[in-house]
Amino acid sequence: MSSVLSPSTATRTKTPNTGMAIFALAMGGVGIGVTEFTMMGLLKEVEEGLGISTPEAGHLISAYALGVVVGAPLLAAVGAKLPRKKLALGLLLFFTVANLSSFIAPDYGSMLVSRFAAGLPHGAFFGVAAVIAASLVPPTRRGWAISMVMAGLSVSNVVGVPAATWLGQTYGWRLLFVLVGAIGLLALAMVWKFVPFQHAHPDASIRRELGALKRLQVWLALLVGIVGFGGFFATYTYIAHTMTAVAGIPSALIPLVVALYGLGMVAGNIVGGRLADKSVMGTLYRVLPAIAVALVVYAVAAHWPWSAMVMVFVVGASGSMLIPALQTRLLDASPDAPSLASSLNHAALNVANALGAFLGGLVIALGWGFVAPALVGAVLAIFGFGVALLSGLLERKRPLAA
């Protein structure tokens, strides 16, 4: 397998502040995670504040996801000729301004536009942040560096989302966007100070970045993310209903359940990064079946409170183990267009979000119960495993280096 960052794409930068540089990039992920996930917990307050229905409030979440899908390839390609630090700073500034515009949005229509705008830099930022982080460490530690950047998203579910939810419920839901804006400004300052400057590749162009879309292995990696990770979202979307209606856990303890899920994501992300450093494809081959098993056990364990809470942690951990390997796989599959390939991972994960939520809702509507989404997720993970096997088989015939 070829190195993700060859001399033709980026030069590894020696800096005494590698840890702080990666931490700065992860802080951007914290802000993104808070604005993406807290809205789900404040939907009732948003409905009352804007005078809209529950489906209309749900459209605000969909608008953000659509922004991620549109913005990830678009902004990564357009920013290809920019030095990566400048691109990261520009995306963080865009993100901060868009969230502050949600704070002052006077009505539903303007809020819909501002949420779409806030989603635009999401995937592109994580894409360029992953490339920067990978360039700061030896090739044998790429998975770890990428997992540390992605940890910002996981940590936000443990600390940021519960804090923002409490703030919004106690003092007004619009303060969520002030908090996110403050995190965005902090991340902006930290990236400015700690992330080293890297010149753009002299041959960088929109056409060069879009060339990644011609590679079958890129599409297969994206498909693994969409199908394999769809099971994670099928379960997470309906976790509150499952815990209260099936496990009998009081609704007052749902924040604890969500925090356990977030802790699992943090642990899985760290372990997944270590595994990816040893073998990217080996990680996919092991983690996808593990996700399937975890979701089946979760469906059974969800009938008792304590076993349900244990499996909430396990499901969060197993699902997030997949992300560093997928991110690294995309970088390896398209070394001459790393920013676009990496950013597409987050577009794929948002498609997985929509797919998992849709299929989970479908089986619930059919009367199969609240544990059925987990079983659907297990099937999706097996399909993702099949796609990964196909990708590995094709690579044997035509190595990525070719």
Side-chain angles (χ1 to χ4, degrees), residues 151-378:
L153 203 59
S154 302
V155 169
S156 71
N157 281 277
V158 180
V159 181
V161 173
T165 302
W166 173 83
L167 180 68
Q169 291 175 336
T170 307
Y171 298 105
W173 61 273
R174 287 184 183 269
L175 289 180
L176 157 67
F177 305 114
V178 176
L179 176 62
V180 172
I183 296 174
L185 289 175
L186 175 61
L188 193 70
M190 293 181 68
V191 169
W192 178 276
K193 179 173 178 59
F194 295 111
V195 173
F197 180 83
Q198 296 176 345
H199 290 284
H201 192 281
D203 296 329
S205 66
I206 294 177
R207 176 178 294 183
R208 182 186 176 95
E209 290 288 326
L210 292 178
L213 300 178
K214 298 179 181 179
R215 296 186 173 95
L216 177 60
Q217 289 289 6
V218 169
W219 287 104
L220 289 175
L222 293 174
L223 188 57
V224 170
I226 292 172
V227 179
F229 214 73
F232 179 88
F233 285 112
T235 306
Y236 185 77
T237 303
Y238 304 100
I239 190 170
H241 296 82
T242 306
M243 293 297 104
T244 54
V246 180
I249 294 174
S251 58
L253 293 181
I254 293 302
L256 174 61
V257 173
V258 174
L260 280 173
Y261 209 89
L263 286 171
M265 290 177 65
V266 173
N269 190 62
I270 295 172
V271 173
R274 299 293 187 183
L275 293 175
D277 280 335
K278 295 179 179 179
S279 172
V280 173
M281 293 305 295
T283 301
L284 297 181
Y285 295 154
R286 291 175 176 84
V287 170
L288 285 163
I291 292 174
V293 172
L295 290 174
V296 171
V297 175
Y298 169 85
V300 176
H303 292 84
W304 301 276
W306 290 108
S307 59
M309 296 183 79
V310 169
M311 288 310 300
V312 161
F313 176 88
V314 173
V315 170
S318 62
S320 61
M321 282 185 194
L322 201 60
I323 298 178
L326 284 175
Q327 197 86 53
T328 307
R329 177 65 174 173
L330 281 165
L331 291 171
D332 284 336
S334 190
D336 56 343
S339 295
L340 177 62
S342 184
S343 66
L344 284 172
N345 189 36
H346 297 275
L349 294 182
N350 274 268
V351 175
N353 190 347
L355 175 67
F358 170 75
L359 293 177
L362 182 62
V363 293
I364 290 173
L366 290 173
W368 294 3
F370 287 118
V371 298
L375 299 177
V376 170

